[in-house]
Amino acid sequence: MKKRRLVIRTVILIILAAAVVYSLYSNFALDNKQKVAVNDPAPDFVLTDMQGNKHRLSDYRGQGVFLNFWGTWCPPCKKEMPYINNQYQQFKDEGVQVLSVDIQESELAVNKFIDRYQLDFPIMIDAEKEVMTAYDVDQLPATFLIDKNGKVVKYYTGELTENMVRDFMEKIKP
């Protein structure tokens, strides 16, 4: 009986120790994960927009790219989308493109959002969170400014004002 109890306690102790080691390893690995930093090349990706057109980031070399990650359920995203659309109208003929990436939502929800806010820029859904993971986005909205050479010049998390959007687009204008 005592031997059996000792074996059970030992097994439980080994399982607990393994869980602690795994937790420490996971936290250490996550803490060392770095976001795409300023002056880094922007990770390339291909996503299909709501009209069925494919967008490869590298195809926009020579232009500034305003890359915005968002969700239809996100209140700050709802506020900033009209500002992004307004400034897109001003800057699209000056070499600034907007690529908008929704995170894992249905086409129906995204299309309703597009119609409600009358958005004109390319909007894509990152169904598998591959692009979100490549850019290490953990909060929405998140915006990356990418220059004409494909380098990240700024990363911003949080709601944008119209003046901020204008200033950001001015910054990446080729």
Side-chain angles (χ1 to χ4, degrees):
M1 188 73 151
K2 284 185 176 183
K3 202 172 197 176
R4 185 172 174 224
R5 195 177 322 151
L6 179 65
V7 169
I8 291 174
R9 286 180 180 171
T10 304
V11 169
I12 290 172
L13 198 59
I14 290 171
I15 291 171
L16 286 174
V20 168
V21 168
Y22 176 77
S23 294
L24 291 172
Y25 172 77
S26 295
N27 286 334
F28 179 74
L30 290 176
D31 287 345
N32 286 331
K33 191 175 180 183
Q34 293 182 341
K35 291 195 180 307
V36 175
V38 171
N39 293 323
D40 282 353
D44 201 13
F45 63 86
V46 178
L47 288 174
T48 304
D49 69 20
M50 304 310 291
Q51 285 73 41
N53 303 311
K54 287 192 185 263
H55 296 269
R56 178 182 301 275
L57 179 64
S58 57
D59 290 345
Y60 291 94
R61 287 279 160 86
Q63 301 176 65
V65 177
F66 185 97
L67 178 61
N68 182 257
F69 292 86
W70 64 284
T72 62
W73 48 267
C74 163
C77 301
K78 292 176 186 179
K79 281 185 171 179
E80 73 182 13
M81 280 299 181
Y83 305 146
I84 295 170
N85 199 58
N86 290 343
Q87 294 307 309
Y88 172 67
Q89 298 307 321
Q90 303 300 315
F91 283 88
K92 68 181 178 181
D93 295 330
E94 297 182 42
V96 175
Q97 296 298 319
V98 172
L99 296 179
S100 182
V101 180
D102 174 83
I103 307 302
Q104 268 190 327
E105 293 188 86
S106 72
E107 286 187 31
L108 178 63
V110 173
N111 279 322
K112 282 183 179 182
F113 189 90
I114 292 168
D115 291 344
R116 179 175 181 200
Y117 291 95
Q118 300 177 346
L119 303 175
D120 298 322
F121 47 81
I123 296 177
M124 299 147 284
I125 299 173
D126 187 8
E128 303 298 322
K129 290 188 174 181
E130 291 171 354
V131 180
M132 181 181 178
T133 301
Y135 281 81
D136 195 24
V137 172
D138 56 2
Q139 277 181 278
L140 298 180
T143 303
F144 289 84
L145 303 181
I146 302 167
D147 72 8
K148 66 182 181 176
N149 300 312
K151 294 213 178 209
V152 174
V153 296
K154 185 165 184 69
Y155 170 68
Y156 185 83
T157 302
E159 182 180 329
L160 299 170
T161 65
E162 188 145 13
N163 286 336
M164 290 170 74
V165 174
R166 182 182 312 110
D167 291 345
F168 286 177
M169 288 190 180
E170 194 66 51
K171 188 173 189 162
I172 58 173
K173 186 169 73 171

